Amino acid sequence: MAGTCLAIAQFPQAIKVYKTKDTHSISLLMFTILTTGVFFWFLYGVLANIPEMWITNGICLVPSFYILYMSIKNLRNEKKK
């Protein structure tokens, strides 16, 4: 149950970023650390052959990578201006 909650927890933020394209209030450092941590938990689940771990963390990586990507993209666009 905890894994399911964590796996879906970031989807509301990802949906908001998708709709608004706004990432100004999101900490790039925090999302970088979070995404890295989730990736390592995913990798651990794969290597330890724990399906519950790699599935939930794999699901969690989708919105994490998207938010991280959009944050970096918006930061680069701001620097170009």
Side-chain angles (χ1 to χ4, degrees):
M1 191 58 136
T4 301
C5 289
L6 292 174
I8 62 173
Q10 293 181 60
F11 278 94
Q13 184 68 57
I15 291 167
K16 183 176 181 181
V17 169
Y18 178 77
K19 287 180 179 179
T20 66
K21 306 296 187 233
D22 180 27
T23 59
H24 291 96
S25 62
I26 297 173
S27 168
L28 180 59
L29 178 60
M30 187 280 295
F31 253 91
T32 301
I33 294 168
L34 176 69
T35 303
T36 302
V38 171
F39 173 75
F40 282 124
W41 278 116
F42 169 78
L43 188 60
Y44 175 76
V46 170
L47 295 174
N49 196 25
I50 305 170
E52 298 84 0
M53 185 171 283
W54 63 261
I55 290 170
T56 55
N57 285 290
I59 292 169
C60 192
L61 279 174
V62 174
S64 292
F65 275 132
Y66 176 72
I67 294 167
L68 188 59
Y69 166 77
M70 290 300 291
S71 295
I72 293 169
K73 180 181 172 186
N74 287 344
L75 187 62
R76 286 184 179 169
N77 287 340
E78 284 178 16
K79 286 185 179 182
K80 287 182 183 179
K81 291 181 181 180

